Amino acid sequence: MLFGINQGAIYDDIRVEHAKQIAELNLDGYAIGGLAVGETHEEMYRIIESTVPYLPEDKPIYLMGVGTPINILEAVDRGVDFFDCVYPSRNGRHGHVYTNDGKLNLFNARYELDERPIEEECQCPACRSYSRAYIRHLLKAKEMLGMRLCVLHNLYFYNHMMEEIRDAIDEGRYQEYKREKIERYQGES
Ligand SMILES: [Zn+2]
């Protein structure tokens, strides 16, 4: 499929003008590129908000290279349909794992004797069989399985969140879902 990729840095006028031009080409889908490259989250949200209305409503909209769970929740709210990002895999390789109560760094000494899974309610292959303490031991020992389990968990977390997002939209409760998800994610774990 051929996508039109919107550019224009953080300049609303250039973004909108370009969006109008590529919309005329009747492409399979549309992407917003050139964001998540160092601008603030607020600037990124503003550009998505001003650009999406000028892209065809009946075509998929893809936000390139984004992002954190909260970035995704905010972008979906502004009309984005899908994403790609290195965070779940790259952070996983560094022992940083996502949970509904925020991100954990499994290298932290507080997990040395922690027999709980990364996340109690998670059904991923890492959480069903291994403890935080054991995964931390693997990471400290530079055993590849440690990175692999963290990446497995993070990819599962992101995929599961996207399922929840689709269900919440289908059921007309996206605003409520987003608010609860962000509140819990930003709370102390
Ligand atoms: Zn898990």
Side-chain angles (χ1 to χ4, degrees), residues 103-119:
K103 202 166 62 164
L104 314 178
N105 177 0
L106 289 183
F107 276 99
N108 197 307
R110 70 195 287 195
Y111 303 118
E112 191 174 4
L113 300 171
D114 193 335
E115 289 301 319
R116 292 174 295 173
I118 295 170
E119 180 147 61

Side-chain angles (χ1 to χ4, degrees), residues 8 13-14 18 25-26 42 50 55 62 66 72 77 81-82 85 101 115 136 146-147 155-156 159 164 170 181 184 186:
D13 55 341
I14 300 175
H18 188 232
L25 300 174
N26 192 29
E42 284 62 37
S50 49
L55 295 171
Y62 158 37
V66 175
I72 289 176
D77 204 8
D81 300 299
F82 65 100
C85 190
D101 297 298
E115 289 301 319
R136 180 177 183 278
M147 293 186 189
L155 291 174
Y156 189 96
N159 279 327
E164 288 179 347
D170 286 346
K181 192 87 177 168
R184 185 173 165 194
Q186 289 179 329

Side-chain angles (χ1 to χ4, degrees), residues 118-119 122-128 152-154 156:
I118 295 170
E119 180 147 61
C122 180
Q123 294 301 309
C124 88
C127 292
R128 277 187 278 121
L152 270 171
H153 168 82
N154 281 351
Y156 189 96

